[in-house]
Amino acid sequence: MLNYLWAFMILGGIIYGTLTGNIASVTTVTLDSSKEAVTLCITMLGIMSLWTGLMQVAKAVGIIDRLTKLLRPVLKLLFPDIPKGHVVNEYIASNMIANLLGLGWAATPMGLKAMGELKKLNHDSDIASSDMCTFLIINISSLQLIPVNIIAYRTQYQSVNPTQILGAAIVTTCFSTMVGVVFSIIARKVSRKG
C-alpha cells in the first residue's frame, strides 16, 4: 500500500509540475535531492559502521553479557513467557542496549534475530505472540539516552548546536517507552483473560 502512495505522490508531482510549466524545477529538485540523499547515506553509513563495530567490541569483551544480566529482571517482567536461559533474551537485551545508546541501525540485526527466535517460540505461527508484540512496541518506542542518528542528521545539515535536542529526546523517549510498557502489560493481561 505504501508503494502505491509513494508512486501516486511522485507521479502527481511530475504531472502538476508539467501542467504548471515548472517541469524544469521538478527536474532540478529531483537531481539535487538525489545528490543530497547519496551524501547523507554515505555519512550515515560511516556512523552506522562505527557504532555497529563498537557494539561488536562491547560484545566481545563481555559488556553486553553483563548488561544482559542487569536487564534480566526487566526482561522477565516484560517477557514472562520466554524461558530463562533462552538466546532470545540476549538478542532482546542487545537490541534494547543499542536503542538506549541511540544506535537504531546497530539495533536492527539483533531485533531481527530476536523476532526470529520469538517466532520459533511461538511455534512458527503467523499470528504474533504477546512477547512479539511487546518486543515490537519496546523497539519502536526505543528509550534513547544519546540520539546518535538525529545528532548526525543535524550535523549533516549544519545545525549550529546538533546536540541541543538531547533533553527533549530523553524526555520524549522515556515517556513513549513508559506508555509502551504499560500498554504491553495491560494488553497481555487482557489477552489472557479473553
Side-chain angles (χ1 to χ4, degrees):
M1 181 65 181
L2 195 56
N3 289 337
Y4 294 119
L5 181 62
W6 281 109
F8 173 75
M9 290 191 312
I10 291 168
L11 289 174
I14 292 170
I15 292 168
Y16 181 79
T18 303
L19 294 176
T20 59
N22 293 320
I23 194 66
S25 297
V26 171
T27 304
T28 303
V29 168
T30 302
L31 294 174
D32 289 345
S33 297
S34 299
K35 176 185 169 190
E36 188 176 322
V38 170
T39 303
L40 182 62
C41 285
I42 290 170
T43 301
M44 296 312 289
L45 179 65
I47 292 166
M48 181 184 74
S49 298
L50 170 70
W51 286 103
T52 302
L54 287 175
M55 283 294 289
Q56 291 302 319
V57 170
K59 186 171 174 57
V61 297
I63 294 172
I64 299 296
D65 290 335
R66 280 184 246 135
L67 290 173
T68 300
K69 286 178 185 171
L70 285 174
L71 283 175
R72 277 193 184 135
V74 175
L75 294 177
K76 191 64 184 164
L77 172 72
L78 295 174
F79 307 98
D81 299 332
I82 296 177
K84 185 177 180 182
H86 200 280
V87 71
V88 74
N89 290 310
E90 181 183 330
Y91 295 148
I92 292 172
S94 296
N95 177 274
M96 290 173 77
I97 293 163
N99 277 327
L100 189 66
L101 297 174
L103 310 174
W105 288 345
T108 301
M110 290 299 125
L112 293 172
K113 287 180 180 179
M115 269 302 187
E117 290 298 323
L118 288 170
K119 186 172 182 177
K120 287 179 190 173
L121 286 173
N122 195 29
H123 310 292
D124 288 319
S125 173
D126 289 334
I127 298 172
S129 67
S130 293
D131 287 331
M132 292 170 88
C133 292
T134 298
F135 177 66
L136 190 59
I137 289 168
I138 301 265
N139 190 41
I140 291 170
S141 69
S142 119
L143 173 61
Q144 292 184 12
L145 298 180
I146 308 166
V148 173
N149 292 338
I150 299 302
I151 292 170
Y153 288 131
R154 289 173 55 89
T155 302
Q156 174 73 22
Y157 292 109
Q158 288 85 38
S159 171
V160 176
N161 187 357
T163 58
Q164 186 176 18
I165 50 107
L166 278 175
I170 291 170
V171 169
T172 304
T173 59
C174 280
F175 183 74
S176 67
T177 301
M178 183 180 63
V179 169
V181 167
V182 169
F183 175 80
S184 295
I185 291 170
I186 291 170
R188 185 182 299 269
K189 287 181 180 180
V190 168
S191 71
R192 286 186 175 165
K193 287 181 182 178

